[in-house]
Amino acid sequence: MTRDDLVIRSRRTVLPEGERPAAVSICSGRITTISPYDTPASVDLGDVALLPGLVDTHVHINEPGRTEWEGFATATRAAAAGGVTTLVDMPLNSLPPTVDPAALAAKRAAAEGACAVDVGFWGGAIPGNTPSLRPLHDLGVFGFKCFTSDSGVPEFPPLAPAEMKAAFQEIASFGGLVIVHAEDPAALSPPSGGDYAAFLTSRPPSAERRAVEQVVRLVEETGVRAHILHLSAADCLDVLAAAQAGGLPVTAETCPHYLTLCDGDAGTSAFKCCPPIRDAANRDRLWQGLASGTISCVVTDHSPCTPDLKRGDFATAWGGISSLQLGLPAVWTAARARGHDLAAVVRWMSEAPAALAAVPGKGAIAPGNDADLVAFAPDATFTVDPASLHHRHPVTPYEGRTLTGVVQATWLRGARVGDAPAGHLLTRPEAR
């Protein structure tokens, strides 16, 4: 063995074919072989599980421009503490938003040398920037985000139907991916009051369903590959299942908060997000959508802000939940109670997001992949203390909750993640 070699073994190694005892050999940052558990090892985890690093394709880091909300250093430290080794950063709420090559250069400059884990970037599709989509694609963004309704920030407006079709056609022309915040603005209304019931009524399931139906129609017309972000309303599942059964390239994700919380939990504005957390029956149906494969990914939609913006009531507070550090144990706590195994959680939170964005070398413990690994104690429990969180402002709806599953260590390309930032900035491999 050379000094670059490392062998990590666990009786609960989660591989693409399932969980089994195995030893993972690493050289120069990549996985070389998967061997029997009795292979001599540098690190023996015993019954602590060995997972591939999670891939979170829905993260708002907000730097540059709104770095007081979050930043690359804090967000990526939180990610590593939660077993996430790869992020793809959303094109908003940074200033400038990532909607042209100059803005992408600014985003990359802000991230350079600051990241504890690997980071890639989405581009944005907004009114008037269709000519910038192909140049952004050529520069290596992983796809393009758009909104059908108000984004919450004025510099990232939604696309009207004709603008959306033009953007979809352009993205289809170069084989790109479009990711959509899908809520129909005609079905949304200002909350009639400041409590959660009024907020929930203001963003009904029909708003999501109508927008998802619109996306499916445009996929049929343009052939673009499309992905529905942060699916909250289970009423959309039959639309998505029919589209997928018909061979349309439409996928969907949901988030830990939609799978683990419900409207009855929403005591403070820390629970506010858009689209909203709905009732327990809706939550059960989302789990059914995951089990059937209609929903393929679970990602956080980590969307922080300064505490003052979160202090209002449900009509006025910022809508976003920060859960980079807590997504894995939150999902695992609920998944195991519903009879799902670690292999399913890895499929939803690592393999499928890596495949969605086509992030090379990520998403599975397999020879040739980056040695991004997580030691995860699946039976250990902890109580969420905001003081232990690494994202910039420790506001969380999980405060005081007992969760199962503790991240004990995270490796990025075979090196234990520590205080020194070692993350790479990622681009699509075929980018110029």
Side-chain angles (χ1 to χ4, degrees):
M1 292 175 62
T2 73
R3 63 186 180 88
D4 292 329
D5 289 330
L6 178 68
V7 179
I8 305 174
R9 68 182 186 183
S10 166
R11 294 187 185 92
R12 301 191 65 178
T13 302
V14 181
L15 302 168
E17 64 271 21
E19 180 183 315
R20 65 176 173 85
V24 179
S25 297
I26 300 158
C27 184
S28 300
R30 291 188 179 274
I31 298 168
T32 55
T33 57
I34 311 297
S35 305
Y37 174 77
D38 59 6
T39 301
S42 320
V43 178
D44 186 357
L45 297 178
D47 291 325
V48 171
L50 184 63
L51 315 181
L54 303 191
V55 178
D56 193 336
T57 52
H58 197 147
V59 180
H60 295 268
I61 296 178
N62 305 335
E63 187 177 5
R66 289 191 176 95
T67 310
E68 71 274 15
W69 292 20
E70 184 66 285
F72 287 101
T74 50
T76 58
R77 282 199 301 270
V84 179
T85 53
T86 302
L87 307 178
V88 188
D89 174 57
M90 284 292 168
L92 74 162
N93 303 300
S94 55
L95 294 169
T98 315
V99 295
D100 57 42
L104 177 62
K107 181 71 71 87
R108 292 179 63 87
E112 190 68 50
C115 299
V117 301
D118 288 355
V119 175
F121 303 98
W122 297 110
I126 64 171
N129 88 319
T130 300
S132 293
L133 300 179
R134 185 182 290 267
L136 282 168
H137 177 79
D138 290 343
L139 289 168
V141 300
F142 287 89
F144 299 90
K145 181 176 187 177
C146 67
F147 280 74
T148 61
S149 57
D150 180 26
S151 74
V153 291
E155 66 277 358
F156 204 98
L159 294 175
E163 295 166 332
M164 182 173 291
K165 183 173 183 179
F168 279 30
Q169 288 172 325
E170 176 67 6
I171 294 166
S173 74
F174 50 75
L177 168 67
V178 61
I179 59 176
V180 186
H181 179 123
E183 289 181 286
D184 181 357
L188 304 177
S189 61
S192 61
D195 63 2
Y196 194 74
F199 171 64
L200 189 57
T201 300
S202 75
R203 305 185 89 97
S206 60
E208 288 187 73
R209 184 181 175 100
R210 290 180 192 177
V212 169
E213 289 171 339
Q214 178 192 15
V215 171
V216 169
R217 286 194 298 270
L218 286 175
V219 169
E220 287 182 301
E221 293 175 18
T222 66
V224 77
R225 185 163 63 104
H227 179 74
I228 304 299
L229 298 168
H230 46 47
L231 188 74
S232 155
D235 285 357
C236 300
L237 289 171
D238 62 330
V239 178
L240 289 165
Q244 293 163 0
L248 293 179
V250 182
T251 54
E253 68 187 35
T254 193
C255 303
H257 39 278
Y258 301 130
L259 296 171
T260 63
L261 305 174
C262 67
D263 56 352
D265 299 318
T268 73
S269 58
F271 289 80
K272 182 179 178 180
C273 57
C274 299
I277 296 164
R278 304 189 188 277
D279 60 41
N282 180 85
R283 180 179 60 190
D284 290 343
R285 292 169 62 202
L286 290 177
W287 278 102
Q288 293 167 12
L290 266 178
S292 70
T294 304
I295 302 170
S296 56
C297 304
V298 179
V299 291
T300 62
D301 189 11
H302 179 78
S303 186
C305 65
T306 54
D308 60 302
L309 294 176
K310 204 65 175 165
R311 285 193 193 110
D313 61 24
F314 284 102
T316 60
W318 175 260
I321 288 177
S322 302
S323 58
L324 261 175
Q325 191 169 333
L326 300 173
L328 174 58
V331 172
W332 172 236
T333 300
R336 72 184 312 206
R338 292 171 179 269
H340 299 289
D341 59 13
L342 276 174
V345 173
V346 164
R347 184 169 64 252
W348 300 327
M349 301 188 79
S350 186
E351 179 184 337
L356 168 74
V359 186
K362 309 293 186 181
I365 299 176
N369 275 0
D370 291 342
D372 298 350
L373 302 166
V374 179
F376 184 66
D379 301 317
T381 62
F382 69 101
T383 300
V384 176
D385 177 5
S388 69
L389 301 177
H390 293 278
H391 60 265
R392 177 149 289 160
H393 302 291
V395 176
T396 173
Y398 295 101
E399 180 175 359
R401 285 180 172 259
T402 297
L403 301 179
T404 301
V406 173
V407 173
Q408 294 189 343
T410 303
W411 291 268
L412 183 69
R413 283 181 296 279
R416 181 95 176 244
V417 176
D419 293 333
H424 292 179
L425 302 186
L426 305 177
T427 60
R428 289 178 18 267
E430 67 273 24
R432 293 176 184 171

